[in-house]
Amino acid sequence: MSQSETIKALTALVEKQAAQISALMIRVTDLEQELAFYKNRKNSGNSHIPPSVSLSKPQRNQSLREKSDKKAGGQQGHEGELRFVRCQDFNVSFNL
C-alpha cells in the first residue's frame, strides 16, 4: 500500500467514525432526556403532593382490565364446575 492509499483509507475510516460518533451523541442525548423524565417523576409516595393529585394511579372508576371480544358470563363450550350442596333432609330443633 502506498502512502496516498493509506491516507485515503484512514480518511474514510475517520469519516465513518465521525458519523458513528454523531449518531451516538444524538442517542445519548435522547437517553439522558428519558432518564431525567423517569428520575424526576413525583407522586404522592415520594413528594409532598397530596394523593388526590397523584397521576400514577388510575381514577377510581377506571378499570385496569382491557376490553375483550368475549361476552360476559359463561363461555360457549365450557362445562363449568358444580358445587355440591348438602341436602337438608330434616331439621333439628333444640329446646333450651
Side-chain angles (χ1 to χ4, degrees):
M1 237 177 163
S2 69
Q3 188 176 5
S4 64
E5 290 174 351
T6 306
I7 292 174
K8 286 181 185 178
L10 290 175
T11 304
L13 179 64
V14 168
E15 290 174 357
K16 181 180 175 185
Q17 289 176 342
Q20 287 177 340
I21 289 172
S22 64
L24 290 174
M25 291 298 290
I26 291 170
R27 178 152 169 85
V28 166
T29 304
D30 292 342
L31 290 173
E32 284 175 343
Q33 289 175 351
E34 186 177 346
L35 177 64
F37 173 75
Y38 286 113
K39 195 173 185 180
N40 295 326
R41 270 185 123 167
K42 295 191 185 256
N43 59 30
S44 61
N46 61 9
S47 70
H48 68 281
I49 298 173
S52 60
V53 179
S54 182
L55 301 175
S56 62
K57 289 191 244 178
Q59 297 295 325
R60 184 175 209 130
N61 60 354
Q62 288 180 341
S63 175
L64 296 176
R65 292 179 59 187
E66 293 182 8
K67 189 104 174 136
S68 138
D69 296 336
K70 297 178 181 178
K71 292 184 177 179
Q75 297 299 311
Q76 194 74 16
H78 185 11
E79 294 176 13
E81 286 187 34
L82 295 177
R83 293 184 189 172
F84 292 102
V85 179
R86 283 191 243 160
C87 293
Q88 186 176 0
D89 293 337
F90 56 92
N91 290 330
V92 177
S93 59
F94 294 98
N95 295 327
L96 296 177

